[in-house]
Amino acid sequence: MSDFLKKYTLKIGERRESPFLNKNDIYQDGTTPMCRDTDGRLWAMSGHSHMGHIGIFCGKSLNDLEEVWKAEFNFCVGHADFAFGNIRYPDGVKARGSIWPFGLYICPGTHRFFCFFHNETGWNGKGSAYDALGYCDTPHYDSDFRHIGLMHSDDEGKNWTFDRWVLTAERANFTRIFKPEEAGLALGQPAGEVSLGSGDFTLFVNPNDEYMYIVYNIVRVNTFESRWKGCDTYIARTRKRNDGLMGDFVKFYNGEWCEPGNFGKESIIAENTWHSKIVYLQKYGVYLMTSTKVKIEDDGTAVLLDAADLRESENLKNWSKPVGGIARQGREFGNHYVALASVDDKSPVDVISDDKLCFLTNHNGTDVARFDTEIAERDSCNK
C-alpha cells in the first residue's frame, strides 16, 4: 500500500456554483455522472425522473458546461404494469419506479452513449411501490430494494432506450414478510437482517486497464428493529468495448473477479461507506476513493454523517483505512454525496493529471456545489 494520504491532503477552496441547479429544474440526487468523448468534449447528465427533468450538459470542461437538451425516454417509468418495457428485474418481479443516472460512458468507436442508472422499488411506483414490509407510498426507513439498470442513446443523449438490468445483489429483492405475487415460488429473504440490493453507485473508467468499474453500495436493515444496520462498498467490472455493445459485469469476491453481476456473491472493499467514488491521481500513481462516512452507533444503528472520508489503493482491490476529518474553514467537510472530478479541459473526468481538482457535493435533490481543491503536502498545510 502506498503512503499518499500520510504525505498529502486536500486543500478545499471557496464554494462555487455548478450548472446542476434547482433554478434550472435540475434536482440531482446522487453523484453526477460525466464522461469526455473522443472529440474532447465533456458530457454530463443531471437530475432524476420523478422530480424536475434529466438534463444533458456539454462543454470543454466543468468551467463551461451548459445544458444542451432535455433527455427523453423510449420507455415508461413508474407503475409496474408499464415501466421499463415490461422487462422484469432478474429476481422475476416486475420492474417499477424511477431512474437516477449515476454512470455515463461514451463508446469511443461508435459515439453511442451508455447510462447506468440506480432504481428503487419504493419510489415513484404510482401505486405499485413496495419495500421490505409491503406496498408503500414511500419506503419505511428507506427499506426498499435496489438494482442497477442500463440504457443507451444514439443521438448524444436526446433519446434513450432501456437495455437490461446489469447488477443485482446475491439475495432476492423481496422478503418473506412480503413479495409481489409475480415472484411465484421464489423464496424471499427471511425477516431480520435484510439486504436491500445493489445500487447507490458510481462508475470509474480505469485509464490503466481494459475495464470499467461500478462501485456500489449494499444497505442492510433489520426488520425487527426498523433501522439501518450497515452500508458498505463493493465493486464489479466489465471490459471496455469499441463496437457500441456493453458486456456483462463480473463482481469481485474473495480476492478474485469471479462472480456474475446478477445474483453473484460479492466482497466488501470499503466498510461503512456511502456513494464511494474513485479517481486516479496520475502524478502520484494512486487511486483515491471519496465516500460519505457511515457511523455505527453503540446500539448498532448505521447513520450517514454527511462527512467525507478518503481511502487510497494501488490496485482497486485493497484499500487503506479511512482518513477522515477533511476540513474547510475549520469545519469537517462533506455532504450526503461527495465526489472528486478533474477540472482541466483534456483529461478524462476521473483522471487527475496534476494537483488541481474539485469536489462536487449535494444532498437529496439539492443544488450541486463545486469546491475547487488542491493536493498539498501535509507539512506545508501546518506551517
Side-chain angles (χ1 to χ4, degrees), residues 198-332:
S198 303
D200 303 296
F201 69 95
T202 59
L203 182 71
F204 174 64
V205 181
N206 194 352
N208 301 315
D209 65 22
E210 59 179 333
Y211 297 98
M212 68 181 76
Y213 296 79
I214 286 179
V215 185
Y216 63 100
N217 280 134
I218 293 179
V219 176
R220 290 174 287 109
V221 299
N222 191 297
T223 59
F224 297 138
E225 300 170 355
S226 301
R227 58 184 174 182
W228 279 31
K229 298 294 288 186
C231 180
D232 306 300
T233 293
Y234 304 77
I235 193 167
R237 72 182 188 184
T238 191
R239 184 167 47 85
K240 295 177 241 179
R241 302 176 62 107
N242 292 321
D243 58 359
L245 301 177
M246 184 62 63
D248 290 334
F249 278 80
V250 177
K251 293 176 178 177
F252 180 69
Y253 175 66
N254 273 357
E256 303 291 340
W257 303 96
C258 59
E259 287 286 313
N262 288 316
F263 299 128
K265 294 182 178 181
E266 46 235 322
S267 292
I268 297 170
I269 62 166
E271 294 181 327
N272 302 323
T273 45
W274 169 250
H275 263 258
S276 300
K277 181 77 173 73
I278 296 172
V279 295
Y280 179 65
L281 304 183
Q282 192 171 48
K283 177 178 175 180
Y284 302 94
V286 67
Y287 299 101
L288 191 64
M289 177 192 290
T290 55
S291 60
T292 295
K293 188 181 302 183
V294 178
K295 180 183 179 183
I296 306 300
E297 302 280 16
D298 291 342
D299 65 358
T301 302
V303 179
L304 300 181
L305 294 185
D306 290 356
D309 271 343
L310 298 176
R311 288 171 172 81
E312 63 180 293
S313 175
E314 295 178 328
N315 58 17
L316 299 178
K317 300 177 182 179
N318 307 112
W319 291 87
S320 68
K321 292 182 179 180
V323 174
I326 306 166
R328 177 179 176 270
Q329 298 180 346
R331 296 183 178 181
E332 191 169 20

Side-chain angles (χ1 to χ4, degrees), residues 28-33 101-102 201-202 275 277 337-339 360 362:
Q28 181 62 24
D29 188 10
T31 50
T32 305
F102 289 165
F201 69 95
T202 59
H275 263 258
K277 181 77 173 73
Y337 305 107
V338 296
L360 297 176
N362 56 289

